[in-house]
Amino acid sequence: MVRTRLYRSGTLISENFPVRDISEYLRDPTSVVWLDLYQPEHDEFALIGEEFGLHELAVEHALHQGQRPKIDHYRTHIYMNAYATNVADVGEALTVSEIAAFVTNQALITVRKDPGIAIDEVVARWDDSPELAAEGVGFLLHGLLDHLVDGHFRAVQALDDAIEKLEDLVFDEGREQVLAVQHRVLVLRRSLVDLRRTVLPVREVVNTLMRPGLQLVTPRLVPYYQEIYDQVLRATEWTESLRDLMNSVMETNLSVQANRVNVIMKKVTSWAAIIAVPTAVTGFYGQNVPYPGFAREWGFAVSSSVIVLMALVLYLVFRHKDWI
């Protein structure tokens, strides 16, 4: 799947034209081209890399998944790798989608490695700001970064809401509820780790793009990139605070479980002490030695009374101490 767009002097001229026409369009210095590739084949993308003069290492990175978010500066272009994030409806599991981008003086080439990135939303952002299209490739890259960072922010918000719900469940009783809390704790912790690994490097990526030496961000685009940088900082700080909050939830959950075990042990010990009374009395009188009341009705009545009385006293004492 291939998508293309052509801007000339800040005006959208054409889209979804054949890739073979890009070279002709780029002869005009006022033209800016966007080329989007979805899971391209190696040979296919190698030809495009030769056409645009892309470095072979950057091409290899774009074709393989698992690259960390970063930005590499080559002689003729910039290579950027980033991730889009999404949280499932249940607000727990985090999914990430990788995207690579090549930035030249007149072109932005995006390589999507999975279907998780809503490229239509990126195009919609470009269409919503036609007055910035004259800023060239920096305008296209801003729309892409703005979409990715907004996704990071939504993911942080969703995980924050999920942690708040989890805090309310920590003190709920029931075996099934306890198992559900433990499962959600593990899922949320894993999601926070993945989100932190995704969001933190974006700060350096945006900061690098804003350097004057790259001549990518024009003076008119500086406030827009600064806004993205501020959002990245907020998302980073929020992620770190959620990480600390998650650790507190885990510690609280462990404390609650330990307290429940202590309560159960107190109850078991209390009932064991109560049961020990009739066991001791009947065991004592069950010996083959005549004791006072042996083979007498009053002896049976006394021993039974002692059992009932001692068990009742212990029960009342434990009940008063809230052990039962």
Side-chain angles (χ1 to χ4, degrees):
M1 297 176 60
V2 179
R3 296 185 63 173
T4 54
R5 270 199 167 196
L6 171 63
Y7 290 87
R8 185 169 292 155
S9 299
T11 304
L12 178 62
I13 302 299
S14 177
E15 57 182 328
N16 295 327
F17 51 83
V19 179
R20 61 177 178 271
D21 296 341
I22 293 180
S23 299
E24 180 180 351
Y25 292 145
L26 291 181
R27 293 174 184 174
D28 185 353
T30 64
S31 297
V32 174
V33 172
W34 170 57
L35 171 61
D36 177 67
L37 303 172
Y38 175 67
Q39 294 182 341
E41 298 292 337
H42 184 277
D43 296 339
E44 175 188 7
F45 191 60
L47 295 176
I48 295 177
E50 293 178 1
E51 179 70 22
F52 285 89
L54 305 180
H55 197 279
E56 58 182 2
L57 289 179
V59 172
E60 289 295 326
H61 292 165
L63 292 175
H64 292 85
Q65 292 187 344
Q67 301 294 321
R68 66 179 181 85
K70 64 177 180 177
I71 186 166
D72 294 330
H73 190 197
Y74 296 94
R75 185 177 60 86
T76 60
H77 64 279
I78 296 172
Y79 171 76
M80 184 187 75
N81 200 83
Y83 287 86
T85 56
N86 184 42
V87 177
D89 294 336
V90 293
E92 296 177 357
L94 178 76
T95 58
V96 295
S97 301
E98 189 173 359
I99 185 172
F102 295 87
V103 184
T104 68
N105 292 331
Q106 292 182 262
L108 172 65
I109 305 172
T110 55
V111 181
R112 291 180 290 140
K113 304 180 182 182
D114 55 68
I117 296 180
I119 199 66
D120 290 333
E121 295 184 10
V122 178
V123 175
R125 289 173 185 267
W126 293 336
D127 293 339
D128 290 340
S129 304
E131 70 280 0
L132 298 177
E135 306 305 317
V137 180
F139 156 72
L140 298 177
L141 187 59
H142 168 267
L144 175 62
L145 287 172
D146 195 30
H147 169 71
L148 297 179
V149 173
D150 282 351
H152 297 166
F153 220 82
R154 289 192 298 268
V156 176
Q157 176 68 60
L159 292 179
D160 191 0
D161 295 340
I163 293 176
E164 288 184 2
K165 295 179 181 178
L166 181 62
E167 290 176 334
D168 298 333
L169 295 178
V170 167
F171 298 97
D172 290 349
E173 299 288 345
R175 181 176 180 275
E176 294 183 357
Q177 193 67 33
V178 170
L179 294 177
V181 169
Q182 293 176 349
H183 174 73
R184 295 182 65 177
V185 165
L186 293 177
V187 173
L188 282 171
R189 190 167 184 268
R190 189 185 307 117
S191 297
L192 280 175
V193 171
D194 293 339
L195 182 63
R196 183 176 183 272
R197 187 165 51 238
T198 300
V199 173
L200 258 64
V202 179
R203 176 175 54 186
E204 184 61 28
V205 169
V206 178
N207 189 35
T208 302
L209 291 173
M210 294 178 62
R211 292 175 183 174
L214 293 181
Q215 298 181 348
L216 177 64
V217 181
T218 62
R220 189 179 179 188
L221 289 177
V222 168
Y224 296 93
Y225 273 83
Q226 186 63 48
E227 181 184 6
I228 293 179
Y229 185 74
D230 293 341
Q231 288 183 335
V232 171
L233 290 181
R234 290 179 58 194
T236 301
E237 294 172 355
W238 200 352
T239 303
E240 292 294 341
S241 64
L242 288 183
R243 186 185 181 192
D244 296 337
L245 180 59
M246 195 65 210
N247 291 333
S248 300
V249 171
M250 294 179 62
E251 293 176 359
T252 303
N253 185 51
L254 293 176
S255 299
V256 170
Q257 296 303 318
N259 290 336
R260 288 173 179 169
V261 171
N262 291 336
V263 171
I264 293 173
M265 290 301 299
K266 287 193 300 183
K267 291 183 178 180
V268 172
T269 304
S270 300
W271 284 111
I274 294 174
I275 295 174
V277 172
T279 303
V281 174
T282 55
F284 183 81
Y285 281 97
Q287 300 180 80
N288 294 324
V289 178
Y291 284 94
F294 179 76
R296 297 281 190 262
E297 292 182 358
W298 64 268
F300 173 77
V302 170
S303 61
S304 299
S305 300
V306 170
I307 292 175
V308 174
L309 180 61
M310 293 299 298
L312 180 60
V313 169
L314 289 175
Y315 177 81
L316 294 176
V317 171
F318 294 146
R319 188 70 177 178
H320 177 73
K321 294 180 176 293
D322 197 25
W323 287 11
I324 297 180

